[in-house]
Amino acid sequence: MAASIISLIVTGTIILNIFLAIALIFLERRDASSTWAWILVLFFVPIVGFGIYLLFGRKLRKKHLFRWEGKNKIGIDKLIEFQMEAIEDDSFDFRLDDAMHYKELIIMHLHNNQAVLTQDNKVDIFNDGREKFNALLQDLENAKDHIHIQYYIFRLDNLGQEIYEVLLAKAKQGVKVRILYDDTGSRGLRKRQFKELIHLGGRVEAFFPSILPLINPRMNYRNHRKIVVIDGRIGYIGGFNVGDEYLGLNKRFGYWRDTHLRIEGSAVHPLQTRFILDWNQASAEHDIEYSDVFFPAIPMKGSVGLQIVSSGPDSEWEQIKNGYLKLIMMAKKYIYIQTPYFIPDASFMDTLRIACLSGIDVRLMIPNKPDHIFVYWATYSYVGELIRAGAKVYIYENGFLHTKMIVIDDEASTVGTANIDVRSFKLNFEVNAFIYDRETSHELAELFEEDMKLSTQLTMELYEERTRMIKFKESLARLLSPIL
């Protein structure tokens, strides 16, 4: 009797796995590498694999995910149409050659991502957590009307409490405070922990919250964006989240090397729009309606050209990845890349290989300290291919490298939240600033070169010294990389 029951369970599992495999192949229309990775999971880890697929493998319903009627009132569609026409007929007023040289990239972001080009921005770069948060705290203390905060990870530890106390003080003064956090990234955080702020009129929302404890069918789709907008005049974007580890206080990681931007200028308005779209998706009762106070007139602060580009599973195209590729393809002299995770798809690897083989100085920097072990070994498997093609690969030794940055030719660059992996390209909601400015790009390149002094170059000789166990781990991780 027991044997027949076990036989029925085994047969049922096999049939279920076959049906799931058929659905993956013929119904969901995934790319081949992702399909094969999921089939391996289903057949090598039966039953458990089915549960993993339900949590992490299902596609996201995109229809009407982000809507905000106020976009019409700030004239985004008309501005995009005007910029497109002016750029295409060479009548657009490029204030600096830095932006004009990247016209094709700008058009791509305009046309496919509604990323307007702004050319009046002042940009401050932070590569140290304490400096970034000191500046942020000061800006928060000076807020007059509203504070919009969005982080993938928001911890109410020492740093989180420091920020929270300032937010409470501003709420008491009548400043409207809104906090949006990702439910998966900020695991353990609950809205009730902000009850004092909510009592004072503040609003707190979680992105894609769990329906049941420990069960979230949308947990694979994470809002990885980090945005702060203050009074519609000051914006922050980059890699730092809110937590003590980002100040280098976690012994496991040590010093936390990241990059964040503080922006003043018209680029703050696209950041504000992105926050409002994300907020209204998460909010059931407290949607943001259009108001002039969110989009005040901003006097010219500088001359940095910027586009704020978003991507996510709601997009038809992989917007930020395409921007990365186009930027790399336009390089003439050098390409500097910093990323904590390097699990590129075939198109990204081919583009970098071609750059290497064309004599362009390609340099990639990754961390020495892993925070996701499978991702770490998969990264090592890919960097070996780049070294063979002629790239220089550096292992950052001074703590954990979390920066997501690309710089080319001291002319153009990008900083934001998107890593170089399938998750950031297809599954996460991300946001990056694409920068067309020599001074800013040169400063980012100098930071990269300073980090090289704190790194070890991974030569082909060192790479070939890997043990058989490490090679096995790399091969296994690479096999699963399309679903990491």
Side-chain angles (χ1 to χ4, degrees), residues 59 70 80 111 114 130 136 142 148 163 194 198 221 236 245 293 296 320 336 338 359 390 401 419 426 430 481:
K59 283 194 171 183
I80 290 168
H111 187 264
Q114 295 189 316
R130 188 69 267 179
L136 176 61
N142 293 330
H148 292 163
I163 292 172
F194 297 93
I198 295 171
Y221 302 101
Y236 284 81
E245 65 265 41
V293 299
I320 293 177
Y336 290 173
Q338 286 180 311
L401 180 76
N419 300 305
K426 292 186 176 182
E430 307 281 6
S481 64

Side-chain angles (χ1 to χ4, degrees), residues 11 179 195-196 367 433:
T11 302
I179 299 174
K195 62 182 179 180
E196 188 175 357

Side-chain angles (χ1 to χ4, degrees), residues 114-125:
Q114 295 189 316
V116 297
L117 173 65
T118 59
Q119 302 182 93
D120 61 349
N121 302 288
K122 177 180 180 292
V123 175
D124 296 310
I125 301 170

Side-chain angles (χ1 to χ4, degrees), residues 55 183-184 207-212 214-220:
L55 285 176
D183 189 69
T184 300
F207 190 89
F208 281 2
S210 300
I211 299 172
L212 297 170
L214 303 178
I215 299 176
N216 189 341
R218 297 186 294 183
M219 70 184 300
N220 202 33

